[in-house]
């Protein structure tokens, strides 16, 4: 299992999202209620980066057509998105945030 350091904990405030690269994969890293989560960055509906959307009530809203995904589970929450977005394991060690490489899952 390969963990990739992607950010420092202080780089993200609550309800913020940041694009990170995990072994060549485009990942969106979120902070919600002091915890960190990660999903694929590409929306499952069309070509849009979730890291350019905004976080509200534990969901990420896509910037292109305003589809929403649950940040913790990746579940598609409302039209037009119908396919869940893939989530990724995150761990925090001190001030460092790691995401598990999608290649090792
Ligand atoms: Fe994300 Fe359409 S591209 S909702």
């Amino acid at each position: 299992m390969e963990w990739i350091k992607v950010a420092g904990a202080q780089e993200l405030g609550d309800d913020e999202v940041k694009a990170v690269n995990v072994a060549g994969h485009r990942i969106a890293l979120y902070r919600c209620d002091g915890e960190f989560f990660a999903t694929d960055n590409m929306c499952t509906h069309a070509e849009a980066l979730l890291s350019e959307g905004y976080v509200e009530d534990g969901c990420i809203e896509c910037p292109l057509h305003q589809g929403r995904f649950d940040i913790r589970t990746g579940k598609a929450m409302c039209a037009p998105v119908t396919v869940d977005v893939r989530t990724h394991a995150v761990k925090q060690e001190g001030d460092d945030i790691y995401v598990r490489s999608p290649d090792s899952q």
Side-chain angles (χ1 to χ4, degrees), residues 3-69:
W3 293 92
I4 309 290
K5 182 184 170 186
V6 293
Q10 308 309 321
E11 291 179 42
L12 277 175
D14 257 342
D15 290 343
E16 288 186 353
V17 56
K18 171 186 173 71
V20 298
N21 184 310
V22 180
H25 298 270
R26 296 205 285 191
I27 303 293
L29 179 71
Y30 311 87
R31 183 172 184 160
C32 287
D33 297 327
E35 284 187 83
F36 292 87
F37 304 92
T39 69
D40 283 348
N41 199 359
M42 188 62 70
C43 185
T44 60
H45 179 241
E47 298 281 313
L49 295 177
L50 297 177
S51 59
E52 295 175 1
Y54 79 92
V55 176
E56 185 180 66
D57 297 333
C59 291
I60 178 70
E61 182 175 290
C62 178
L64 193 53
H65 307 112
Q66 290 72 54
R68 289 164 65 92
F69 300 94

Side-chain angles (χ1 to χ4, degrees), residues 71-84:
I71 287 169
R72 289 170 172 82
T73 65
K75 184 173 175 49
M77 300 298 287
C78 69
V81 295
T82 56
V83 177
D84 297 349

